[in-house]
């Protein structure tokens, strides 16, 4: 069994998921805000995604971490490394709950998890699959230093693939 890490950044605690995270997670996944991830999703599908995010740690040695404000302890979103049969390569993704948007939390969390993936997780490759219409995620991938890789395999043929390292 893999020990799920806790990563501390300037403002955030990237911590293992808990059952209490289901409510804000599902609210986002059932909403129009999930459209760039293939949603909105049903409760059944969102629950499966939530469980998969957690289970990937034991199955693949990487998975999702929740973003928690170090001062207020509020749950702000999620960052994760996705793998398994739905992902051609290990993929770092992020989501921020509506009340936390626009404050740089996704950049802070994704930077920390990307660095963990390279050093502690010893991953030899990491990409982000981004819907071409998701301007915010495209800009974030570029701000993280990722570059477009037009030849990389992708789970959805319309996705852009941003390569963080190879």
């Amino acid at each position: 069994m893999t020990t799920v890490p806790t990563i501390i950044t300037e403002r955030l605690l990237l911590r293992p998921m808990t059952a209490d995270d289901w409510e804000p997670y599902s609210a986002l996944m059932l909403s129009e805000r999930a459209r760039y991830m293939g949603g909105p999703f049903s409760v059944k599908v969102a629950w499966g995604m939530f469980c998969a995010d957690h289970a990937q740690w034991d199955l693949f040695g990487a998975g999702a971490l929740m973003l928690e404000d170090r001062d207020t302890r509020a749950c702000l979103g999620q960052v994760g490394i996705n793998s398994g049969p739905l992902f051609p390569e290990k993929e770092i993704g992020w989501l921020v709950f509506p009340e936390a948007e626009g404050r740089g939390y996704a950049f802070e969390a994704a930077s920390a998890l990307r660095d963990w993936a390279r050093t502690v997780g010893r991953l030899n490759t990491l990409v982000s699959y981004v819907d071409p219409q998701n301007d915010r995620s495209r800009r974030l991938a570029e701000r993280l230093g990722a570059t477009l890789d037009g030849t990389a395999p992708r789970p959805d043929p319309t996705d852009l693939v941003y390569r963080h390292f190879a």
Side-chain angles (χ1 to χ4, degrees):
M1 186 182 289
T2 300
T3 301
V4 181
T6 297
I7 302 170
I8 299 170
T9 70
E10 181 180 339
R11 300 177 296 164
L12 301 171
L13 184 68
L14 307 182
R15 58 157 177 83
M17 299 169 65
T18 69
D20 291 338
D21 300 322
W22 166 245
E23 188 175 329
Y25 179 94
S26 65
L28 186 139
M29 292 303 187
L30 273 64
S31 77
E32 185 60 30
R33 291 178 47 81
R35 69 187 172 279
Y36 296 126
M37 296 179 279
F41 300 99
S42 69
V43 171
K44 184 177 181 178
V45 170
W47 176 248
M49 293 168 66
F50 184 79
C51 292
D53 288 347
H54 177 71
Q56 287 184 70
W57 284 106
D58 284 339
L59 296 172
F60 303 110
L65 298 171
M66 301 310 288
L67 285 60
E68 185 175 291
D69 185 295
R70 287 179 57 192
D71 293 332
T72 68
R73 307 313 272 192
C75 185
L76 306 172
Q78 183 190 72
V79 64
I81 298 173
N82 298 299
S83 38
L86 302 179
F87 300 92
E89 295 184 59
K90 302 265 188 192
E91 187 247 2
I92 187 169
W94 45 81
L95 60 89
V96 178
F97 300 143
E99 62 276 9
E101 260 192 3
R103 298 187 187 144
Y105 294 131
F107 177 77
E108 188 173 332
S111 295
L113 188 57
R114 177 204 57 210
D115 294 347
W116 177 93
R118 183 180 288 176
T119 58
V120 179
R122 300 191 193 290
L123 299 184
N124 58 10
T125 183
L126 191 65
V127 299
S128 290
Y129 302 116
V130 179
D131 184 299
Q133 296 180 14
N134 189 341
D135 293 332
R136 293 181 108 174
S137 280
R138 286 186 16 236
R139 285 193 306 268
L140 178 54
E142 292 165 2
R143 187 171 169 216
L144 288 164
T147 56
L148 279 172
D149 183 342
T151 64
R154 59 206 75 219
D156 180 323
T158 65
D159 282 345
L160 299 174
V161 180
Y162 281 89
R163 185 162 302 281
H164 296 273
F165 56 86

